[in-house]
Amino acid sequence: METPSGRGEPTPSLAPGTDLTIVKLTPDGREAARYPGHALPGPEDWVVARAYWVFERKDLGYLVFDPRDVFVEYFSLTRPYNAFALFTEDDRFKGWYCNVTYPSWIEDGTVYWQDLYIDVVVYPDGRLLTLDEDELDRAGLASRDPALYQMILSARDELIERARTRAFPFSEAPA
């Protein structure tokens, strides 16, 4: 799979207050979503952004995204995942939605992240739900690209451990 130059390498961070665009790519690199965000302060190797759910209500059965929900999105520039803290428009914490990805990268004020199948939901009470392992299996990476397959599983495990121990970025939202 081709990857853009600079992926996984620290890139200049965006100054807090900067307007930015966030682009989600599918596992094969096609654009899946594009939406506006606003840079927030964060560690040097992360981009932290506030964004709003700008799409129609989406009830996934295990989590609901409503118009005007607020996302505080944490994009690692060095680790293969991101984590989105989800709040209602009146600031009630709904939980975390996390994605296994390649490390995010920045180009021309746009934050890019490429989804790699597995998602992890962390509820406010600490319960965890791992999603889309069946999609990963159907992709055939275990035999076609075993190193990538193992990286995805390791990233999933690291995300789960960070959530359980409330390591950054999970330390940044209410318990």
Side-chain angles (χ1 to χ4, degrees):
M1 189 177 300
E2 292 289 312
T3 60
S5 63
R7 173 174 290 148
E9 298 173 15
T11 48
S13 60
L14 297 166
T18 303
D19 289 330
L20 50 88
T21 300
I22 300 165
V23 175
K24 173 186 178 181
L25 302 174
T26 61
D28 64 2
R30 290 176 292 117
E31 187 172 312
R34 175 181 293 261
Y35 54 95
H38 189 76
L40 300 173
E44 185 175 302
D45 56 343
W46 290 78
V47 173
V48 181
R50 173 175 279 113
Y52 298 90
W53 186 254
V54 294
F55 308 103
E56 292 182 15
R57 183 175 205 267
K58 186 167 188 167
D59 185 343
L60 301 171
Y62 48 84
L63 195 60
V64 176
F65 301 149
D66 289 305
R68 299 184 0 190
D69 274 351
V70 178
F71 286 76
V72 179
E73 302 185 348
Y74 298 83
F75 300 96
S76 177
L77 301 175
T78 58
R79 304 299 309 144
Y81 46 76
N82 60 38
F84 301 165
L86 174 61
F87 298 86
T88 62
E89 86 177 289
D90 63 354
D91 209 32
R92 184 179 51 83
F93 181 56
K94 294 171 94 171
W96 290 91
Y97 197 96
C98 311
N99 301 278
V100 171
T101 69
Y102 287 108
S104 297
W105 68 98
I106 304 167
E107 288 179 16
D108 300 323
T110 299
V111 177
Y112 291 90
W113 65 279
Q114 189 169 350
D115 189 37
L116 291 175
Y117 307 102
I118 294 183
D119 303 326
V120 176
V121 175
V122 184
Y123 294 102
D125 65 5
R127 286 179 300 124
L128 295 158
L129 176 63
T130 302
L131 304 167
D132 301 331
E133 289 177 328
D134 56 334
E135 280 184 38
L136 177 61
D137 289 341
R138 281 194 306 274
L141 291 178
S143 59
R144 190 169 37 90
D145 191 341
L148 178 59
Y149 181 78
Q150 191 53 53
M151 185 277 293
I152 291 168
L153 296 180
S154 294
R156 174 204 59 199
D157 295 346
E158 185 176 333
L159 260 173
I160 290 169
E161 182 62 20
R162 292 179 82 84
R164 285 189 175 137
T165 62
R166 294 190 51 81
F168 188 85
F170 301 98
S171 57
E172 302 300 300

